[in-house]
Amino acid sequence: MKNGMKKYIPNFLKLSVCLLGLQSSAQTNMDYIANENGPILGYSKESGVKILKVDGHFFKDLNQNGKLDPYEDWRLPVEERAKDLASKMSVEQIAGLMLYSQHQSIPAREVGFGAGTYNEKPFSESGAEASAISDQQKKFLKEDDLRHVLLTAVQSPEVAAKWNNNVQAYVEGLGLGIPANNSSDPRNTATVTSEFNAGAGGTISLWPDGLAMGATFDPALVKQFGEMAAKEYRALGITTALSPQIDLGTEPRWYRIAYVFSESPELVKAMGKAYVEGFQTSGKEAEINDGWGYESVNAMVKHWPGGGPEEGGRDGHWAMGKFAVYPGDNFKDHIKPFTEGAFKLDGGTKKAAAVMPYYTISFDRDDIYNENVGNGFSKYIITELLRDKYGYDGVVCTDWLITADEGETPGTFAGKPWGTEAMSVAERHYKVLMAGVDQFGGNNEKAPVLEAYQMGVEEFGEDFMRARFERSAVRLLKNIFRTGLFENPYLDTEKTKEIVGNAEFMKVGYEAQVKSVVMLKNKEAALPIKEKKTVYIPKIYTPVSTDWWGIPTPAKFEYPVDLELIKKYYKVTDNAAEADFAMVFVRNPQSKEAGYSETDRKNGGNGYVPISLQYETYTATTAREHSIAAGDPVIDPEIKDRSYKGKSSTASNIMDLRTIEDTKMLMGDKPVIVSVTADKPMIFAEFENLVDGIVLNFGVSTQAVMDIVSGNAEPSGLLPLQMPANMETVEAQQEDVPFDMIPYQDSEGNTYDFGFGLDWNGVIKDKRTERFKKE
């Protein structure tokens, strides 16, 4: 057989099947038939799809025309199948294939973002099963021909599997029978409710993510994570991961720095490569061809050409952060994790299946078309560089909502059409297509894609645009074919329950969390505290804050950790005088604004304010006199300079610092240990000399921290980023350059530089620190 197809029963589909006949599964509506030396075919009894027998083999008649078409022939190479299917698709069907859905929770939320209905009723009133397809999902699957669905929260793994089966059965009977390619942002984060997975954790193995994984300095661990997480994804019906994030964390104030591995090009390259290998490569028993198979999950690496160098640390999800700048002319380091990592795999899959450009305008990098537009609109960034110079021919998908209109102010969360603000929605779609992009993230409707197609017909003719559409269709279809979905997209829910969050995966994920914790200070061997001593843990005041969508949460004054967990290690008291030692659990300084303030604007300013990495009030006296980039032709045309020099900012959680200071006063000479949960670098000078021990984590469980403090495990984490000495060095550093800050030196004489960490014997020096050095 040309494709080297093996007979394989996926481990999440251990069904008794007859080699030469049909047999129903325990799930209703589905039948299975196995090929000798070929794949098991799964199909819905209600979809209208029949089974063809040709040359002694079985095939699914997906287009129901009574004959075997090349795209239905699993013996043929993926490229040949994809080209045949693309040639059969209508322009409307290809337009639908180019869509990537908005965020979907299972079942659909009843109000707010991502809300949906069932027979025009909210879920609680509908009587529908949690795994049912919502009205909105049926519409975009049938009327808009959408086949790429982004999942967020699911009620349970079993519900996710049943929903997948319902969706696959539904689309199998539509048109050419193209399966759904379901996807997810990272789901295995130890914090469970992290922003970008919308609470998708829970019953799934929990691992360090982003900077936490970077702190392990261990690519082999990342690969192991990818292999295990991919099995869980496939058991949930997910075949594309919108990850890893391989941007460089060279700008310490950037909001999304929490989700990158490091500021080191070499470390990010190695970690990103291992992540993609782990997700995409099937085990030999599950392989179809060239590493791809029934355990493979397509990796969509992000964000080309690197979203890290955001001016002033502002983020491209908002107009205030639309510009990535290169004052150090260091563009080359930011593309290295892609061109030397994700695009040069050691395994058979060769390169990441998909790439997502970031929202940002890579300011003044285009020396061919001389455009300053968002990366997804840029022919220079996508075609000239990614496609032509670096030879990438996989799927390119825009980040979510770049073709939608922006908000009323630079700080409003809405569409992100940076550089194309004055264009219509359809014109933006056309510009994206002409840039060389294949897919539109967060767009459920094909109408503007079809309108863009007609624009192309008018400019270049029907043949040109038809070929342009088919080129993208082939890329998109290959990612569905090589993961085996055309042969069998269905799941056994009992096996799903066994796989997702199983004990082995949970254990390895937790051990990885422990490995990510960094011990920064250990004065006079204050740690570990092994005996079951008495600990004082102060409550923390948290002011009103807003989430990703601007929804406020009330202020609170409470214990920052679960005391029942702490009691497994120590006796707990609320009286500092009775305690042997204290532990203060804090977060790194959190900015009240993310670099833009409506209050400042209303008071006559330009709206731009500093993002501070310290708790106390910071005044940006040494900031740039003038910003490198500025301008918004629609909502802010008169603002030509985004400088925030001379303006001040105070952390919203300044009470974290006050609590450390108060605890030191209460404890006197008794040890004070500070546990910091951080999502970016911070200024330790404000409290380091007051305390005896500091343990730092980048968003893992409290238990992992306590296993270090108690000596159940030895600390091994290393700083994946520099910790700056002060805000002056933050202002002096260049957004695109790694390792260009003065790192903090503590009262013990240790420098909180990249790669620093302590174990019980002192400063860690091992193979990791030797391999990954500051370049």
Side-chain angles (χ1 to χ4, degrees):
M1 290 175 288
K2 294 180 181 178
N3 209 26
M5 178 76 72
K6 300 175 181 178
K7 180 171 78 71
Y8 173 67
I9 302 177
N11 59 6
F12 51 85
L13 187 62
K14 296 288 189 181
L15 300 169
S16 296
V17 292
C18 176
L19 284 179
L20 297 176
L22 296 174
Q23 179 164 323
S24 297
S25 78
Q27 305 237 10
T28 58
N29 302 325
M30 292 173 301
D31 271 342
Y32 299 89
I33 186 167
N35 283 281
E36 189 171 6
N37 298 319
I40 292 173
L41 308 181
Y43 66 102
S44 167
K45 292 186 289 186
E46 297 178 355
S47 68
V49 166
K50 305 299 182 185
I51 297 297
L52 302 172
K53 186 175 183 180
V54 179
D55 300 331
H57 297 295
F58 298 102
F59 306 88
K60 293 165 69 172
D61 184 14
L62 291 167
N63 60 3
Q64 303 179 45
N65 67 353
K67 65 177 183 178
L68 180 63
D69 293 286
Y71 86 91
E72 299 164 338
D73 190 342
W74 45 261
R75 299 169 299 182
L76 298 177
V78 162
E79 185 87 18
E80 187 174 339
R81 296 179 72 185
K83 286 181 177 179
D84 176 68
L85 179 52
S87 71
K88 289 177 167 60
M89 296 176 72
S90 67
V91 170
E92 288 77 11
Q93 288 170 327
I94 295 176
L97 193 67
M98 289 178 166
L99 304 178
Y100 222 124
S101 84
Q102 296 173 8
H103 300 66
Q104 304 293 309
S105 58
I106 311 301
R109 298 181 182 183
E110 299 196 356
V111 295
F113 179 77
T117 56
Y118 300 82
N119 292 321
E120 301 183 352
K121 296 180 179 179
F123 175 71
S124 62
E125 300 175 13
S126 68
E129 297 287 337
S131 58
I133 310 173
S134 72
D135 299 333
Q136 292 73 22
Q137 291 162 359
K138 287 180 180 178
K139 179 184 181 300
F140 65 58
L141 290 169
K142 184 176 183 179
E143 296 179 23
D144 290 285
D145 296 299
L146 185 149
R147 291 296 180 272
H148 293 79
V149 184
L150 174 57
L151 298 182
T152 56
V154 297
Q155 189 178 90
S156 70
E158 182 180 9
V159 166
K162 288 181 177 178
W163 178 86
N164 169 80
N165 290 350
N166 289 335
V167 167
Q168 300 294 4
Y170 184 69
V171 298
E172 189 174 74
L174 299 177
L176 295 161
I178 299 172
N181 181 359
N182 302 321
S183 70
S184 176
D185 279 309
R187 304 185 75 81
N188 298 76
T189 56
T191 47
V192 178
T193 55
S194 59
E195 200 71 63
F196 294 93
N197 72 359
T203 309
I204 197 168
S205 64
L206 303 178
W207 296 71
D209 183 48
L211 290 176
M213 190 66 90
T216 70
F217 276 52
D218 189 350
L221 179 62
V222 178
K223 185 175 182 181
Q224 183 182 30
F225 159 68
E227 292 167 347
M228 291 182 172
K231 290 181 174 65
E232 292 183 305
Y233 273 39
R234 290 303 301 258
L236 292 166
I238 295 169
T239 42
T240 292
L242 302 187
S243 55
Q245 186 174 329
I246 56 175
D247 308 292
L248 295 187
T250 52
E251 167 46 61
R253 296 163 291 189
W254 183 35
Y255 173 75
R256 293 199 70 174
I257 199 172
Y259 306 97
V260 309
F261 291 116
S262 174
E263 66 183 297
S264 163
E266 291 302 318
L267 180 56
V268 175
K269 181 180 77 174
M271 301 292 257
K273 182 176 183 178
Y275 190 112
V276 177
E277 294 269 25
F279 265 91
Q280 290 191 170
T281 306
S282 286
K284 288 300 180 184
E285 291 301 311
E287 185 179 9
I288 296 172
N289 199 35
D290 294 333
W292 293 102
Y294 295 96
E295 292 175 348
S296 297
V297 173
N298 299 297
M300 184 180 291
V301 293
K302 54 192 187 184
H303 304 89
W304 176 261
E310 295 262 18
E311 184 165 21
R314 299 179 292 269
D315 184 68
H317 280 83
W318 297 268
M320 64 182 176
K322 67 172 65 176
F323 296 106
V325 295
Y326 299 87
D329 195 26
N330 190 36
F331 189 79
K332 67 180 190 307
D333 271 355
H334 291 267
I335 64 173
K336 183 180 289 187
F338 297 89
T339 59
E340 298 181 19
F343 299 167
K344 287 188 177 180
L345 305 181
D346 297 325
T349 66
K350 296 181 181 178
K351 60 183 66 178
V355 175
M356 182 187 295
Y358 204 37
Y359 296 119
T360 45
I361 296 169
S362 295
F363 190 69
D364 280 356
R365 299 306 306 182
D366 179 356
D367 56 7
I368 294 180
Y369 306 103
N370 296 312
E371 282 190 309
N372 275 315
V373 294
N375 293 314
F377 297 105
S378 173
K379 188 173 182 179
Y380 173 78
I381 294 293
I382 304 303
T383 294
E384 305 295 340
L385 291 185
L386 181 61
R387 297 286 194 208
D388 295 345
K389 183 173 181 177
Y390 296 108
Y392 184 77
D393 194 39
V395 168
V396 178
C397 176
T398 74
D399 213 329
W400 264 231
L401 297 177
I402 75 165
T403 57
D405 291 333
E406 63 184 317
E408 295 179 356
T409 75
T412 301
F413 188 92
K416 304 106 175 50
W418 312 144
T420 67
E421 296 89 346
M423 290 183 176
S424 69
V425 171
E427 287 170 338
R428 293 174 195 146
H429 279 77
Y430 183 50
K431 189 166 183 61
V432 167
L433 288 172
M434 292 301 100
V437 175
D438 305 297
Q439 200 164 29
F440 301 91
N443 186 349
N444 293 2
E445 299 176 352
K446 66 184 178 185
V449 185
L450 294 174
E451 193 173 345
Y453 180 86
Q454 290 304 319
M455 292 177 184
V457 170
E458 292 174 9
E459 184 172 358
F460 297 107
E462 184 80 40
D463 291 345
F464 175 90
M465 283 307 292
R466 174 71 203 192
R468 169 68 189 85
F469 261 42
E470 285 194 28
R471 190 157 59 249
S472 286
V474 169
R475 294 179 184 130
L476 293 161
L477 291 168
K478 285 166 67 175
N479 287 352
I480 306 176
F481 275 114
R482 56 194 177 193
T483 51
L485 292 178
F486 275 88
E487 278 57 68
N488 181 26
Y490 299 103
L491 304 173
D492 180 342
T493 56
E494 293 304 312
K495 291 300 174 183
T496 291
K497 289 190 288 185
E498 290 178 15
I499 290 171
V500 181
N502 72 74
E504 178 192 358
F505 291 2
M506 283 287 196
K507 179 177 181 292
V508 179
Y510 177 73
E511 291 171 349
Q513 292 184 47
V514 175
K515 291 176 182 178
S516 76
V517 178
V518 184
M519 184 167 71
L520 292 176
K521 184 176 182 180
N522 194 17
K523 182 181 179 181
E524 297 179 355
L527 296 173
I529 302 174
K530 294 184 177 181
E531 300 87 355
K532 195 158 188 176
K533 294 187 175 182
T534 301
V535 62
Y536 168 66
I537 298 176
K539 292 182 177 180
I540 295 286
Y541 173 75
T542 304
V544 174
S545 61
T546 56
D547 67 10
W548 186 246
W549 315 112
I551 300 172
T553 55
K556 54 189 177 183
F557 181 61
E558 62 186 15
Y559 288 110
V561 292
D562 180 0
L563 293 188
E564 293 305 309
L565 171 65
I566 306 300
K567 289 175 183 178
K568 294 179 180 179
Y569 298 86
Y570 306 110
K571 297 176 183 177
V572 178
T573 181
D574 59 3
N575 183 351
E578 298 176 352
D580 298 307
F581 73 104
M583 279 197 73
V584 187
F585 292 85
V586 300
R587 294 182 67 194
N588 64 297
Q590 303 292 306
S591 293
K592 290 181 180 179
E593 302 96 359
Y596 185 85
S597 167
E598 284 299 323
T599 301
D600 179 82
R601 184 64 188 277
K602 290 175 182 177
N603 289 335
N606 63 0
Y608 293 88
V609 294
I611 298 173
S612 177
L613 302 182
Q614 67 182 40
Y615 292 109
E616 296 281 9
T617 298
Y618 164 65
T619 301
T621 56
T622 63
R624 288 190 183 111
E625 192 73 38
H626 301 286
S627 64
I628 294 173
D632 191 313
V634 177
I635 61 174
D636 226 2
E638 70 275 22
I639 300 299
K640 306 301 182 184
D641 195 327
R642 295 185 170 196
S643 175
Y644 50 82
K645 186 173 183 179
K647 296 180 184 179
S648 299
S649 174
T650 304
S652 62
N653 61 332
I654 190 174
M655 289 305 297
D656 286 20
L657 176 61
R658 298 288 177 258
T659 303
I660 295 172
E661 295 168 340
D662 292 348
T663 302
K664 173 59 179 176
M665 181 175 63
L666 289 170
M667 295 298 293
D669 293 333
K670 291 185 287 188
V672 175
I673 310 301
V674 174
S675 171
V676 181
T677 298
D679 56 16
K680 62 179 65 172
M682 62 182 287
I683 309 298
F684 281 93
E686 294 177 293
F687 67 86
E688 175 273 320
N689 65 338
L690 300 177
V691 304
D692 302 276
I694 301 174
V695 286
L696 173 69
N697 79 88
F698 294 102
V700 297
S701 63
T702 303
Q703 184 177 342
V705 174
M706 294 308 299
D707 273 349
I708 296 294
V709 171
S710 65
N712 286 350
E714 184 167 13
S716 62
L718 303 168
L719 285 178
L721 302 158
Q722 293 183 310
M723 295 293 155
N726 47 51
M727 281 303 297
E728 286 68 34
T729 192
V730 173
E731 295 290 1
Q733 61 89 34
Q734 296 174 309
E735 286 90 338
D736 59 325
V737 177
F739 314 130
D740 64 341
M741 292 190 294
I742 299 170
Y744 177 67
Q745 186 175 65
D746 72 7
S747 56
E748 301 296 293
N750 291 317
T751 301
Y752 295 0
D753 206 348
F754 169 79
F756 170 75
L758 299 172
D759 59 19
W760 303 139
N761 296 315
V763 178
I764 297 172
K765 299 291 183 183
D766 57 20
K767 292 180 180 179
R768 299 172 301 159
T769 57
E770 182 64 28
R771 178 182 177 186
F772 299 109
K773 297 179 179 179
K774 289 167 61 176
E775 293 89 348

